[in-house]
Amino acid sequence: MNETAYILVVLSLVILFLYNKREKVKLQILLQQELLKSDHFRQALQEKMATSENQNDLIAYVNKNYRLGILYSKELVETVANEQANQ
């Protein structure tokens, strides 16, 4: 009886962990999309691009200030940089 209870508790914790991780990814993607829509964010990032030599510094800046994650921050910086280069 106790083993069954422990197994159910562990299984429910694993399910909650996976669900939480999925929701976190969804929220990061939503934040990334909202930041791309924000003109203020784009202008601030373009000003940082003009003064910064290294793209990794920009990625670290976005990750630190918006807690977005390295991969999503990198995508954001690359998207804004590509749009700036196309204009």
Side-chain angles (χ1 to χ4, degrees), residues 44-80:
L45 193 59
Q46 287 174 352
E47 289 173 6
K48 286 269 187 197
M49 283 180 187
T51 60
S52 178
E53 299 175 3
N54 192 351
Q55 192 174 21
N56 290 334
D57 294 338
L58 296 170
I59 294 169
Y61 165 77
V62 172
N63 183 39
K64 180 180 176 186
N65 290 340
Y66 297 98
R67 299 184 190 275
L68 194 57
I70 297 289
L71 294 176
Y72 294 115
S73 298
K74 182 179 179 185
E75 286 180 27
L76 252 174
V77 169
E78 288 176 350
T79 302
V80 172

Side-chain angles (χ1 to χ4, degrees), residues 3 7 9 12 15 20 30 38 42 44-45 47-48 54 66 70 73-74 79 83-84:
E3 291 177 7
I7 291 171
V9 167
S12 64
I15 290 170
N20 187 24
L30 183 63
S38 171
R42 286 177 181 272
L45 193 59
E47 289 173 6
K48 286 269 187 197
N54 192 351
Y66 297 98
I70 297 289
S73 298
K74 182 179 179 185
T79 302
E83 289 176 0
Q84 187 180 11

Side-chain angles (χ1 to χ4, degrees), residues 13-50:
L13 287 174
V14 168
I15 290 170
L16 285 173
F17 172 77
L18 293 174
Y19 180 75
N20 187 24
K21 187 172 178 102
R22 185 176 136 241
E23 290 298 313
K24 182 179 177 184
V25 168
K26 286 168 95 177
L27 287 173
Q28 285 177 327
I29 291 171
L30 183 63
L31 178 59
Q32 181 186 31
Q33 291 170 350
E34 290 300 315
L35 286 173
L36 282 173
K37 292 178 186 176
S38 171
D39 290 332
H40 176 71
F41 172 77
R42 286 177 181 272
Q43 290 174 353
L45 193 59
Q46 287 174 352
E47 289 173 6
K48 286 269 187 197
M49 283 180 187

